[in-house]
Amino acid sequence: MNKTIPQGDPPRLTVESAPVKDLELKLRDSLGLRIRDVPKPPSYRKGDANVAVLFSGGLDCSLLARLSHEILSSDETIDLLNVAFENPRVVAAAANNDKSATSAYENCPDRITGRAAFAELQRVCPGRDWRFVAVDIPYAENTGHREKVKRLMNPHNTEMDLSIACALYFASRGQGTAFESRRGDDAVPYASPARVLLSGLGADELFAGYARHGMAYSRNGFEGLIEEINLDVSRLGKRNLGRDDRIISNWGREARYPYLDEEFVSWVLRVPVWEKCGFGTPDDDEPSLGREKKALRLVALRLGLEKVAREKKRAIQFGSRTAKMEKGRTKGTDALS
């Protein structure tokens, strides 16, 4: 990893900066390797999606969807799998606040950002048939599958692992209600036939997307930030990849990780840290972008995703509301009983 510390203030990143343009090209190349020429199954019918995106509406997955539009044939549908859970604690709180008439699913943060990003993709890429799949999971259904999810994610055994695994488990199943670009507001029951699922895993670790990266910079400057990124990247396989792959492959689908392409990761790690995020530089030109993952946010701006570029990081377990379903005082690091 490049551990160079800038001498003085590092140059400000903009949409026209060479590192941002290079990043777009490198990510496009990585994604292309994973979605071009995916074999169609014998049961394929015109309009079936061959590729789907695990889609919260956040920056990382929306960028993959946007770039997929430029790589895939214009007549291919792309499924956007968006999961939301009925969380009894949240439902009870809403009832106490006289908001019981609102949908437990449509009020999930990831459903809100997912629909907003879906609308932005339709605006920016009007010729593409996007299919937004709203995967709504009742509390009883989630608890009914919980033991199976625990077996699949083993040896991981914390509350956070379970919350993340449940979200991935049901999202990758791909069953829900479909809203298609070309059908307006018509919604139909749907099960995605896509065998390839795109995941945004790795973007936060490589481009300093977590709050702890900002804290590391505040404590120890660029040295602290670089060490935190290095730690995150070094433990990705142990903390995330095995668990996520076992969960997703349970449904006979294959997760593909464009941000974790070997050549892409090697290139990103060779790039100086100030070309990946905005720490240490004034951000008065685009204050709403923030400093975490600034290079990726600028790529999103280059591609017309103005709202997506400004979406803040939200962990999947909080966005889909799988966390703290029964007890509010549990910690993510608590071992499962």
Side-chain angles (χ1 to χ4, degrees):
M1 180 170 178
N2 188 331
K3 296 189 177 183
T4 304
I5 304 298
Q7 302 300 312
D9 293 335
R12 179 183 299 169
L13 286 175
T14 71
V15 291
E16 296 301 324
S17 297
V20 174
K21 294 180 179 179
D22 289 344
L23 172 57
E24 180 184 340
L25 292 175
K26 296 288 186 181
L27 183 56
R28 190 189 303 263
D29 288 345
S30 172
L31 178 60
L33 290 173
R34 285 155 179 80
I35 63 173
R36 282 196 187 98
D37 303 320
V38 175
K40 292 179 172 60
S43 59
Y44 177 83
R45 297 176 300 174
K46 184 175 175 57
D48 282 355
N50 220 23
V51 172
V53 184
L54 296 171
F55 191 75
S56 67
L59 172 67
D60 312 329
C61 60
S62 297
L63 257 183
L64 296 181
R66 173 66 180 86
L67 287 171
S68 294
H69 165 71
E70 299 194 0
I71 296 169
L72 294 175
S73 171
S74 60
D75 61 350
E76 289 196 44
T77 300
I78 300 175
D79 281 355
L80 308 172
L81 307 180
N82 180 274
V83 68
F85 288 76
E86 178 190 27
N87 184 311
R89 293 181 60 253
V90 175
V91 171
N96 291 336
N97 291 326
D98 198 28
K99 296 179 181 178
S100 55
T102 58
S103 166
Y105 308 113
E106 292 302 312
N107 277 339
C108 280
D110 277 3
R111 179 59 51 80
I112 295 169
T113 56
R115 288 200 181 277
F118 174 46
E120 189 160 36
L121 286 169
Q122 291 179 91
R123 177 183 63 79
V124 175
C125 312
R128 173 71 58 185
D129 187 16
W130 302 98
R131 184 184 288 121
F132 183 88
V133 185
V135 180
D136 297 341
I137 307 301
Y139 175 68
E141 184 174 10
N142 183 44
T143 55
H145 286 254
R146 191 172 292 179
E147 290 305 314
K148 181 178 181 180
V149 174
K150 287 181 181 179
R151 291 195 299 272
L152 288 170
M153 73 182 200
N154 184 62
H156 296 274
N157 68 336
T158 68
E159 291 285 347
M160 181 174 65
D161 286 311
L162 181 60
S163 296
I164 295 171
C166 284
L168 291 174
Y169 176 84
F170 286 105
S172 59
R173 185 175 67 172
Q175 294 180 9
T177 304
F179 301 81
E180 292 190 35
S181 300
R182 296 175 182 172
R183 290 191 178 182
D185 294 330
D186 292 342
V188 295
Y190 178 75
S192 176
R195 313 318 294 169
V196 169
L197 305 187
L198 295 176
S199 166
L201 180 64
D204 288 307
E205 289 80 3
L206 287 167
F207 293 91
Y210 292 115
R212 61 177 176 269
H213 293 124
M215 290 187 285
Y217 177 79
S218 297
R219 288 193 302 265
N220 297 307
F222 280 106
E223 288 186 4
L225 175 60
I226 290 168
E227 289 306 315
E228 193 70 27
I229 293 173
N230 194 39
L231 175 62
D232 277 338
V233 173
S234 68
R235 62 189 180 186
L236 254 173
K238 180 179 179 181
R239 292 188 69 176
N240 303 82
L241 277 170
R243 176 198 64 205
D244 295 1
D245 193 61
R246 290 191 297 276
I247 294 293
I248 294 169
S249 62
N250 170 73
W251 301 112
R253 307 185 198 267
E254 180 175 87
R256 296 187 179 177
Y257 306 95
Y259 293 104
L260 295 180
D261 174 85
E262 191 168 343
E263 290 189 11
F264 181 78
V265 171
S266 296
W267 175 78
V268 173
L269 293 181
R270 290 195 302 269
V271 169
V273 68
W274 61 87
E275 293 184 1
K276 294 180 276 197
C277 52
F279 293 104
T281 62
D283 54 4
D284 48 294
D285 55 334
E286 284 286 359
S288 59
L289 288 185
R291 295 176 176 177
E292 296 84 358
K293 297 192 291 191
K294 189 165 187 180
L296 283 175
R297 296 183 184 282
L298 289 167
V299 171
L301 281 183
R302 285 179 57 82
L303 295 170
L305 299 178
E306 296 184 5
K307 292 182 179 178
V308 164
R310 293 169 171 82
E311 282 296 338
K312 301 304 180 186
K313 165 68 183 173
R314 186 189 304 114
I316 186 173
Q317 64 269 33
F318 298 112
S320 64
R321 287 187 170 155
T322 55
K324 302 180 185 294
M325 282 204 169
E326 288 87 13
K327 296 181 292 183
R329 294 185 179 275
T330 57
K331 296 180 180 178
T333 53
D334 289 349
L336 297 170
S337 56

